[in-house]
Amino acid sequence: MIIDEAISYCEEKADCAECGTEYRQIAEWLRELKTLSARETPKEPDKVKGYQYCKECGSILTKRYFTYCPFCGQRLKGQ
C-alpha cells in the first residue's frame, strides 16, 4: 500500500462512528508525512561544529566518535 492509498483508506474509514476520529487523525498525519518526505534533503548539509553527518542517509549524528552510522550502517569517512 502506498501513502496515497493509505490516506484514501483512512478517509473512507473516518465515517465510522466508533473510530472515525482516529482515522481522521491518521489521514492528517499521513498527509503531513507525504508533504515532508516530498521535500528534498541536501546531500551535503552545512557542517556544524561538534556534529558528524552520514552522506548515505543524511542523518545528523551528535557524537563524533561513530565509525558506522547507527541508522543505515554506512561506514563514515575519515574515521
Side-chain angles (χ1 to χ4, degrees):
M1 179 180 293
I2 60 174
I3 196 163
D4 291 323
E5 292 171 342
I7 292 169
S8 295
Y9 177 81
C10 289
E11 288 172 344
E12 290 171 13
K13 296 293 182 179
D15 295 331
C16 174
E18 228 175 85
C19 52
T21 305
E22 288 85 359
Y23 277 107
R24 277 190 288 281
Q25 180 65 56
I26 292 169
E28 184 181 324
W29 286 335
L30 288 171
R31 279 190 224 90
E32 184 178 348
L33 175 64
K34 183 179 175 183
T35 302
L36 292 173
S37 63
R39 292 181 184 169
E40 187 176 330
T41 46
K43 292 290 181 189
E44 296 276 343
D46 295 334
K47 300 293 183 207
V48 178
K49 187 175 181 179
Y51 290 92
Q52 190 175 18
Y53 300 91
C54 176
K55 291 181 181 179
E56 183 69 24
C57 69
S59 297
I60 300 171
L61 310 173
T62 57
K63 298 180 181 176
R64 297 213 32 97
Y65 56 83
F66 283 120
T67 303
Y68 293 91
C69 175
F71 301 103
C72 71
Q74 177 71 28
R75 181 165 174 81
L76 300 171
K77 304 281 182 199
Q79 302 305 314

